[in-house]
Amino acid sequence: MQEHLFQHTDSDDKRRARQRIEELRALIRKYDYAYYVQAQPLISDRDYDRLFAELVELEQRYPDLVTPDSPTQRVGGQPLEEFAHVQHRTPMLSLANTYTRQEVLDFDRRIRQALGHETYQYCCELKFDGVAVSLRYEEGRFVLGATRGDGLVGDDITANLRTIRSLPLVAQPVTVENVILSNFEVRGEVYMLRRDFEQLNRQRIAEGEKPFANPRNLTAGTLKLLDPRQVAQRPLQLVCYYLDSDQVRLHRQSSNLELLRAMGFPISPHWRLCATLNDVFAFIDQWETRRRELPFDIDGIVVKLDDLEQQRRLGTVARSPRWAIAYKYEAEQARTLLKDIVLQVGRTGVVTPVAELEPVFLAGSTVSRATLHNAAFIEQLDVRIGDTVYVEKGGEVIPKIVGVDLDARPADSTPWRMPTRCPCPHRSRLHRPPGEVNYYCESPACPWQIRRRIEHFASRDAMDIEGLGEKVVAELVEAGFLETIADIYDLASKRDQLVGRPGWGTKRVENLLAAIEASKAQPFHRVLYALGIRHIGEVTAKLLAEHFGSLDAICRATMDELQAIPEIGPRIADSICTFCNDPEERHIITRLKKAGLAFSAQRQSKQSHQPLAGKTFVFTGELDSMTRTQAEELVESLGGRATSSVSRATSYVVVGRSPGSKFTKAQQLGVPILSEREFFELLRTHGVTI
Ligand SMILES: [Zn+2]
């Protein structure tokens, strides 16, 4: 009625403007829906921008025609002082979480008992790892948005939610039982795509700010911002899964999802109606693997009773509905207390800060330590003792800390400082070479370094001395048997002293000495790697061995000659020179030479038989009978080449357990693929027996 009044007083110009404004808003809504919800743009960006500019201009000319539901009003308003509180009309319940199939079975049994002989179905949906919100619509228009808060009272974040482009400011009218739904509540989850999260984090780090631990934290942090203009700059996403209205009786969760879609709300296409528990488990299993294909994080599956009348009858217990359950996938990130930061000394003297954590279960095992990389990393994240931190496993063996929950930081915490001295008994001064992030213990006599260095020397990929593991090394260093790696080869002369030690019988000593003796046959490149020269890994050691043929030649080479090898930069060349010129190291080398270790590559001296000459092999996955390195050496000893990447020139790809992308690549390129067994058969046809 008011509209008529206005129209009578409007000038012709204004009437035309009003009409055009309505047209433009309808068009923009339609295009926004196509773009942000369906991801299927209907017009070009340029045409869209033109329409939008026209609307802005008209609204500027007639400010009284601006309404809060106009697409131009998504971003606006002044920063708030604080959020107002909102009482939820229906409490926002939190779902009971389960981690086992048994709990899902128990849940189903309780439902069956409660419903007697009635039939029932489950609606299974993805559980988005985001922030739950409630959206209230009146007369079809978005009027109020709130966080869950404590479930009864949340924060009014309407202005922030308006900035989310997939959130309809005006819902499409739909009719249910002859009633147009206009007053209703929708609930959903605000989340962020992983790639947007990563990009924002990179930007923050570049600007010297602390990165967020995960997309959910970033989303929550964004929704808490008091300035909607800042929120508008963060690409938030919305997914809706709940609809309630006093106007009509709604019947099923699955039909509500369809209604939401028809009303223009973003819903996830991945939901399924399940008539049996087997279907539920199939859905759970399918998404356990497929979740990595999604561009956002989900942390489980929500199983809801589909019939809303049955839901009502089951009701709630302790703020959780009895009619729904969340099956959570194994977390890839965990939150725990950081009890202490200790220093670990590596074989090259590098000192690494390590986090001691309150043990927490993460992706299949209990984690109590995590790497903190170096002092710069700690400073960047501002990790402090007493903090609650996020830990991830992310493919590596050693878990890492990815973020700090600043809300949980104790008031009296202080920034962590890198100690100036090594934790070893020598307490020697720590030193950071220019241009490096790492600190090093300067003392060559640092017993921790000695231990690490001997462990490395004896390790499987280096000299491969069985029986000389971490514990034995620690014991023999402590007892004064080992001070340098060269002392290993003097152990044979101390046989009697060894046999007398507690826990050391004759047999054990003989086994160890035999393993040490056998290690003398290791090829030059392994010896070179075993020496533990700073920055020289397995690959570089091989390159150097191939290129120079002996340690003497390597040490004679100038910095330029070393750097003539493409993979060798100034850092490695410098490290080699330092090593070769160190009198201490030279003394060790002399002793190792005397012991009979290979310091030059006797190229194919023993193996004149070269059945694999001209053939290139790539190994992927774990082999049962040997390590990948051993298999590669076997191929090389038979005249073949082992490389790490697959190309058309590759002769064979040998595939072990859990192969990586090389397997797929081989299939794509049509390179012959061998199983471990077929690989050995191939060798057998060439007269090689293993
Ligand atoms: Zn030290």
Side-chain angles (χ1 to χ4, degrees):
M1 268 177 297
Q2 266 195 338
E3 296 230 330
H4 286 290
L5 257 173
F6 271 120
Q7 267 172 9
H8 284 299
T9 58
D10 280 356
S11 66
D12 277 0
D13 267 1
K14 189 166 180 184
R15 203 172 51 245
R16 270 196 299 276
R18 180 195 294 276
Q19 205 172 13
R20 182 60 181 155
I21 283 175
E22 284 311 320
E23 270 171 31
L24 287 168
R25 286 179 186 167
L27 280 174
I28 290 170
R29 262 173 219 137
K30 184 169 98 178
Y31 296 143
D32 276 351
Y33 179 75
Y35 187 91
Y36 292 105
V37 179
Q38 296 182 308
Q40 287 167 336
L42 294 175
I43 57 165
S44 70
D45 287 357
R46 178 196 285 228
D47 288 344
Y48 177 92
D49 291 345
R50 209 167 34 79
L51 293 174
F52 203 90
E54 189 188 344
L55 178 61
V56 170
E57 203 196 300
L58 281 173
E59 287 184 346
Q60 270 166 0
R61 204 171 335 142
Y62 299 102
D64 57 314
L65 295 184
V66 177
T67 55
D69 59 33
S70 171
T72 60
Q73 301 303 301
R74 284 198 180 270
V75 188
Q78 291 301 307
L80 301 169
E81 291 288 324
E82 60 177 349
F83 295 115
H85 292 311
V86 179
Q87 173 99 34
H88 295 298
R89 281 155 44 115
T90 321
M92 287 182 83
L93 304 168
S94 48
L95 298 179
N97 289 329
T98 82
Y99 297 87
T100 64
R101 276 162 192 265
Q102 185 55 49
E103 286 173 287
V104 180
L105 286 166
D106 293 344
F107 162 75
D108 179 62
R109 203 190 47 243
R110 287 194 301 272
I111 289 202
R112 208 169 341 113
Q113 280 166 358
L115 293 178
H117 296 291
E118 286 174 47
T119 56
Y120 57 92
Q121 282 185 302
Y122 290 116
C123 184
C124 292
E125 299 164 39
L126 305 185
K127 189 174 184 306
F128 281 65
D129 196 8
V131 177
V133 293
S134 128
L135 314 168
R136 206 178 294 167
Y137 284 73
E138 281 167 17
E139 304 302 319
R141 283 164 165 76
F142 175 54
V143 292
L144 181 68
T147 59
R148 183 206 298 272
D150 63 1
L152 302 172
V153 177
D155 283 340
D156 177 349
I157 52 163
T158 313
N160 287 349
L161 290 173
R162 298 176 75 87
T163 67
I164 302 176
R165 303 300 291 266
S166 55
L167 181 150
L169 297 177
V170 179
Q172 292 298 313
V174 295
T175 308
V176 181
E177 290 166 359
N178 297 320
V179 178
I180 296 176
L181 268 189
S182 51
N183 297 321
F184 53 87
E185 185 185 339
V186 171
R187 286 176 188 170
E189 205 87 0
V190 178
Y191 65 100
M192 196 174 276
L193 300 180
R194 270 195 298 268
R195 70 173 144 78
D196 289 336
F197 161 74
E198 279 156 17
Q199 199 195 329
L200 273 165
N201 255 357
R202 273 198 298 276
Q203 211 174 305
R204 284 178 72 85
I205 290 169
E207 287 162 3
E209 287 188 74
K210 282 169 219 155
F212 283 93
N214 52 46
R216 178 169 29 79
N217 273 28
L218 179 48
T219 304
T222 302
L223 289 177
K224 267 195 237 164
L225 292 172
L226 291 164
D227 186 351
R229 286 167 299 192
Q230 271 181 287
V231 179
Q233 283 163 18
R234 305 236 180 118
L236 297 178
Q237 311 285 335
L238 174 71
V239 64
C240 297
Y241 48 72
Y242 168 98
L243 174 66
D244 190 27
S245 172
D246 294 338
Q247 290 178 284
V248 291
R249 202 153 185 81
L250 297 162
H251 297 289
R252 295 189 166 273
Q253 169 64 12
S254 49
S255 30
N256 279 0
L257 289 174
E258 294 295 1
L259 275 175
L260 283 168
R261 189 216 303 274
M263 292 159 85
F265 288 92
I267 66 158
S268 163
H270 308 298
W271 59 271
R272 189 189 292 169
L273 213 47
C274 295
T276 68
L277 213 49
N278 273 346
D279 292 347
V280 172
F281 284 132
F283 189 78
I284 286 174
D285 290 344
Q286 181 196 4
W287 284 105
E288 172 120 50
T289 349
R290 283 191 62 195
R291 65 174 162 150
R292 281 164 201 91
E293 297 165 16
L294 297 168
F296 46 82
D297 290 342
I298 61 168
D299 56 354
I301 295 297
V302 180
V303 184
K304 295 172 186 164
L305 207 50
D306 191 45
D307 188 308
L308 302 180
E309 173 52 36
Q310 291 178 337
Q311 284 189 6
R312 277 185 280 270
R313 266 188 281 141
L314 273 142
T316 60
V317 58
R319 283 206 193 171
S320 290
R322 281 201 183 91
W323 43 266
I325 199 165
Y327 180 90
K328 299 263 269 189
Y329 293 133
E330 213 163 62
E332 283 165 345
Q333 193 180 66
R335 190 174 168 277
T336 190
L337 180 73
L338 187 147
K339 295 192 296 187
D340 201 2
I341 298 176
V342 297
L343 296 182
Q344 220 168 45
V345 186
R347 67 183 158 83
T348 56
V350 65
V351 175
T352 319
V354 174
E356 299 214 320
L357 306 168
E358 187 65 45
V360 62
F361 197 73
L362 173 63
S365 64
T366 301
V367 168
S368 54
R369 306 192 108 196
T371 178
L372 285 160
H373 305 290
N374 51 55
F377 177 85
I378 298 181
E379 197 179 316
Q380 189 177 71
L381 277 187
D382 186 22
V383 181
R384 303 177 182 187
I385 294 167
D387 268 345
T388 300
V389 293
Y390 294 94
V391 195
E392 256 178 31
K393 262 192 183 162
E396 289 112 75
V397 187
I398 307 165
K400 55 184 180 188
I401 289 188
V402 295
V404 178
D405 183 352
L406 291 176
D407 291 340
R409 170 167 286 173
D412 59 349
S413 84
T414 51
W416 185 79
R417 297 244 176 278
M418 182 78 188
T420 52
R421 293 188 179 275
C422 182
C424 72
H426 289 247
R427 307 283 302 152
S428 47
R429 193 163 268 290
L430 295 179
H431 166 73
R432 184 162 64 90
E436 276 204 45
V437 287
N438 289 322
Y439 283 84
Y440 292 86
C441 172
E442 291 282 78
S443 163
C446 171
W448 287 19
Q449 260 181 73
I450 292 170
R451 267 166 55 185
R452 291 290 110 72
R453 210 177 151 187
I454 297 172
E455 282 163 20
H456 168 74
F457 184 85
S459 69
R460 200 160 164 174
D461 291 331
M463 299 303 275
D464 194 15
I465 304 175
E466 222 185 304
L468 200 54
E470 214 175 300
K471 271 196 189 134
V472 177
V473 171
E475 186 190 334
L476 296 184
V477 169
E478 175 108 352
F481 283 96
L482 300 176
E483 273 175 29
T484 74
I485 50 177
D487 296 335
I488 296 172
Y489 296 95
D490 290 345
L491 284 177
S493 64
K494 296 174 182 159
R495 186 181 260 106
D496 297 342
Q497 285 159 268
L498 281 172
V499 170
R501 297 184 60 77
W504 288 82
T506 313
K507 181 127 195 276
R508 189 173 169 201
V509 172
E510 288 310 326
N511 283 346
L512 177 63
L513 294 178
I516 291 171
E517 188 58 30
S519 75
K520 292 179 181 172
Q522 293 291 2
F524 169 50
H525 67 85
R526 271 183 175 248
V527 176
L528 187 56
Y529 169 62
L531 291 176
I533 305 170
R534 200 177 283 182
H535 306 310
I536 308 282
E538 265 182 283
V539 177
T540 315
K542 245 183 192 171
L543 268 173
L544 288 167
E546 258 169 42
H547 213 271
F548 293 98
S550 72
L551 185 67
D552 291 339
I554 293 172
C555 285
R556 270 197 310 271
T558 62
M559 285 286 281
D560 286 344
E561 282 165 347
L562 288 168
Q563 288 181 69
I565 305 176
E567 288 84 351
I568 297 200
R571 202 172 61 128
I572 297 179
D574 189 55
S575 166
I576 292 170
C577 288
T578 310
F579 178 86
C580 291
N581 292 318
D582 187 323
E584 199 82 37
E585 301 289 3
R586 293 174 81 100
H587 181 61
I588 290 172
I589 301 291
T590 313
R591 288 175 61 200
L592 290 176
K593 277 182 180 167
K594 251 187 221 153
L597 269 57
F599 277 89
S600 64
Q602 324 95 317
R603 289 196 177 103
Q604 274 85 41
S605 56
K606 348 176 243 208
Q607 206 86 30
S608 55
H609 182 54
Q610 296 210 321
L612 300 183
K615 298 265 191 296
T616 309
F617 288 75
V618 174
F619 292 87
T620 178
E622 262 178 82
L623 302 180
D624 287 324
S625 53
M626 55 178 71
T627 67
R628 213 185 303 177
T629 313
Q630 287 169 333
E632 285 169 356
E633 283 178 359
L634 178 63
V635 163
E636 280 167 8
S637 74
L638 297 168
R641 261 166 48 82
T643 63
S644 57
S645 61
V646 181
S647 72
R648 281 179 209 286
T650 308
S651 317
Y652 299 102
V653 171
V654 182
V655 177
R657 264 178 295 121
S658 354
S661 58
K662 291 170 196 169
F663 178 45
T664 333
K665 184 94 185 280
Q667 286 176 315
Q668 281 164 0
L669 295 177
V671 173
I673 292 166
L674 301 179
S675 67
E676 184 175 355
R677 197 171 47 84
E678 288 166 333
F679 168 62
F680 288 120
E681 261 162 32
L682 177 83
L683 296 186
R684 217 165 295 135
T685 59
H686 284 103
V688 181
T689 46
I690 309 298

